Amino acid sequence: MSTSRTVEETPPGPPEDEPARSPSPPRPTLPAWLPFLAGSLAMLAVGGYRLTAVSLDWDEGATVSASGRPVPEILGLAGHVDGVIAPYYLFLHFWTRVFGSSDLALRAPSLIAMALGVGLVAELGRRLIGPATGLVAGLICAAIPALSYYSAQARPYALAFALATLATLSLYRAVERPSWRRWCWYAGFLLAAGVVHILAATVLVAHLIIVAGRWYAGRDRALLRALPASAVTAVALAPLAVLGAREQQVQLAWVTSPTWRDVAAAPEQVVQSAQVAFLLVGLALVATVVLRRRTAAELVVLAVVPVGLMLLVSLAVPVWVPRYGTFALGPLAILAAGTVTAPARPSAGTLPRVALRATVVLALIAVEALPAQILARQSHSSPDSRGLAGVIEANVAPGDGLVFGDFAWSLRPTVEHYLARHSWTAPDAAPRDLLLTRDAGRLGSLDAQECADVAACLGTTPRIWLVTPVSPAHPIDAATSKMHALRARYAVTATWAKDQGMVSLLVRR
């Protein structure tokens, strides 16, 4: 009687997102390890499917070029461009010395990191809300096109996603029991995230907001240990941030200040699917009603504040590129999963309904994501350097030369990456790079130095393979000194287009 009366007199409040505590709690229906394992395996399967179907893209050309250099040359490059990505280049340099530099070896770290990152998202969802939410959040992440895309790209974004999520998870562990040891672990993970990609450190602002809210609610002085841990991390990352700011005009010169249209398009651009973004944002908005207020508010802070900060900074110093917001997708997935699973209680009556609801939502997200998932395995909107190299291999003749047109900083390393893997390649058969005088590594740049006197360097080479991006008119008609010298001595006899790149066979007149 007394228990019943107590329940009836309890004032209504927002729905709980955790099972109510009781002297004899119900036995968990899902093992604690299942969300992490399921999320990791799902991402490994989805991201690993046709991992090398697309050849190395524009940015991966920079990765191949930089990571293949000796360590001093990588450090030299960092002083001119890509300084904030230099730690990733160093990591991949040593990785490829062990595992080789095939497409699979180059992309495997991203796939592994993304799988672990998705597993960590699932674990975070389990800790904040419950096992079912963690499980669904991990499966949602596996369906998000952007996460599949960056799991198959030899760039640092998957590592940044994993480490930023790990830093957030360690934050909650430190908040639960704010010991110095836990805050040191938190600072270490946050530092690692910032080192891999400096803009991942923007999660620190969201973390400080969460700690401030927790401190205000309970006035727990132990939470103030977050301040020195955060300060040490910020100071340690400051040189990298200064280096990035100094190189912004070189590395991100093409980025413009965001407009309101860019802000509105941010969810679609970060997710890489308008339909999936609409579903996730809609479910996340519902989560702010059905979840506990503090849990929902903190997840919103984690998803919105880092991206909002980058957009705000970009008004003065343009740095916003949608791929930099990838690590905000974890909290968004947890919010969406919370909407699906929050009403669940570990009882026989509710779990089947929640399982059905989760299945329907996951199926809907997967169907809406399918076009973008397919496209990511067909094209990265870059030249198909593998296909270009294949054309050269199939039609090469002894004594042929090789010339690169625009965007040689990426085309040269990627095409030569694939040419070096063809069985026919030998010193007397491989086409020679006719205009190369000093490689990019010696210059501390991504661009190599080419002959000033193009005609002299072309010499009497009978045939030349010209590799360029696709353009409306043939590149040889461009009004540049290089193309003028080629046009005066050679005629185009055949052209092959491969995605956003093309290779032309020129024969001496």
Side-chain angles (χ1 to χ4, degrees):
M1 291 290 293
S2 60
T3 302
S4 175
R5 185 164 55 253
T6 300
V7 173
E8 292 172 357
E9 292 174 359
T10 299
E16 294 275 321
D17 55 5
E18 295 178 351
R21 297 182 181 273
S22 64
S24 300
R27 185 176 181 180
T29 56
L30 293 175
W33 48 264
L34 181 60
F36 175 85
L37 183 63
S40 295
L41 291 178
M43 189 69 248
L44 200 61
V46 175
Y49 176 66
R50 302 193 71 201
L51 180 68
T52 60
V54 179
S55 68
L56 300 174
D57 62 25
W58 286 121
D59 288 344
E60 288 176 300
T63 298
V64 171
S65 174
S67 64
R69 304 176 186 184
V71 171
E73 290 188 2
I74 297 176
L75 297 177
L77 174 69
H80 298 90
V81 67
D82 271 0
V84 296
I85 309 179
Y88 172 75
Y89 291 154
L90 287 169
F91 160 75
L92 210 60
H93 169 82
F94 292 106
W95 172 275
T96 53
R97 290 187 69 178
V98 176
F99 298 102
S101 58
S102 66
D103 289 8
L104 178 61
L106 288 167
R107 288 173 173 170
S110 292
L111 176 62
I112 295 169
M114 190 63 80
L116 293 174
V118 169
L120 291 169
V121 169
E123 173 62 14
L124 182 61
R126 184 191 73 81
R127 284 175 174 267
L128 292 181
I129 303 176
T133 300
L135 177 62
V136 174
L139 297 177
I140 286 175
C141 282
I144 294 177
L147 299 186
S148 293
Y149 184 92
Y150 294 116
S151 70
Q153 190 183 45
R155 297 297 282 171
Y157 311 118
L159 285 169
F161 174 86
L163 289 168
T165 306
L166 182 57
T168 300
L169 184 60
S170 66
L171 169 76
Y172 276 101
R173 293 186 75 250
V175 165
E176 289 170 2
R177 290 194 328 187
S179 66
W180 279 114
R181 181 180 179 182
R182 291 195 173 197
W183 284 117
C184 286
W185 278 110
Y186 162 72
F189 292 136
L190 183 63
L191 177 62
V195 166
V196 168
H197 198 283
I198 188 63
L199 290 178
T202 55
V203 297
L204 173 60
V205 179
H207 292 169
L208 290 175
I209 293 173
I210 291 171
V211 171
R214 296 281 183 118
W215 176 85
Y216 183 80
R219 297 298 198 276
D220 184 354
R221 295 173 63 89
L223 289 174
L224 298 180
R225 295 172 180 174
L227 298 180
S230 301
V232 168
T233 304
V235 170
L237 289 174
L240 200 59
V242 171
L243 180 62
R246 192 177 69 188
E247 295 178 352
Q248 185 270 343
Q249 285 299 322
V250 177
Q251 189 170 341
L252 296 176
W254 53 276
V255 179
T256 58
S257 296
T259 64
W260 284 111
R261 184 173 297 178
D262 296 320
V263 174
E268 172 188 347
Q269 292 174 344
V270 172
V271 174
Q272 294 190 2
S273 167
Q275 295 83 356
V276 176
F278 178 81
L279 281 171
L280 293 180
V281 171
L283 290 170
L285 289 174
V286 176
T288 62
V289 177
V290 301
L291 296 183
R292 287 188 307 176
R293 283 190 292 269
R294 187 177 73 183
T295 302
E298 290 178 352
L299 287 168
V300 169
V301 165
L302 289 168
V304 173
V305 168
V307 172
L309 182 62
M310 281 186 273
L311 287 166
L312 186 62
V313 169
S314 292
L315 295 176
V317 182
V319 296
W320 168 247
V321 180
R323 58 178 174 263
Y324 297 162
T326 304
F327 52 83
L329 293 174
L332 182 64
I334 295 174
L335 282 167
T339 296
V340 178
T341 62
R345 294 294 184 268
S347 65
T350 55
L351 285 181
R353 291 197 297 272
V354 171
L356 177 61
R357 186 162 57 248
T359 300
V360 171
V361 171
L362 287 169
L364 183 59
I365 293 174
V367 168
E368 295 293 350
L370 188 59
Q373 292 277 13
I374 293 173
L375 182 61
R377 289 158 178 81
Q378 293 177 340
S379 171
H380 282 187
S381 298
S382 296
D384 177 7
S385 296
R386 185 190 297 144
L388 298 177
V391 169
I392 296 173
E393 176 209 10
N395 299 277
V396 72
D400 283 1
L402 187 62
V403 171
F404 292 93
D406 293 339
F407 296 95
W409 64 269
S410 178
L411 284 172
R412 180 175 270 113
T414 53
V415 170
E416 290 182 347
H417 166 81
Y418 290 112
L419 286 176
R421 277 162 170 71
H422 287 303
S423 58
W424 59 268
T425 302
D428 61 340
R432 184 170 62 89
D433 193 338
L434 298 174
L435 302 185
L436 180 66
T437 56
R438 292 184 68 192
D439 64 46
R442 293 174 179 265
L443 296 172
S445 172
L446 290 175
D447 238 336
Q449 182 177 353
E450 295 188 341
C451 287
D453 187 347
V454 176
C457 289
L458 294 177
T460 58
T461 306
R463 304 197 321 167
I464 291 176
W465 294 96
L466 175 63
V467 180
T468 63
V470 166
S471 60
H474 197 282
I476 202 171
D477 295 327
T480 65
S481 58
K482 183 190 296 185
M483 296 304 168
H484 176 75
L486 287 170
R487 192 166 57 246
R489 295 162 177 79
Y490 293 87
V492 178
T493 60
T495 297
W496 296 262
K498 296 291 181 179
D499 210 342
Q500 300 299 311
M502 61 190 298
V503 58
S504 302
L505 177 59
L506 312 183
V507 177
R508 191 170 179 84
R509 296 180 189 278

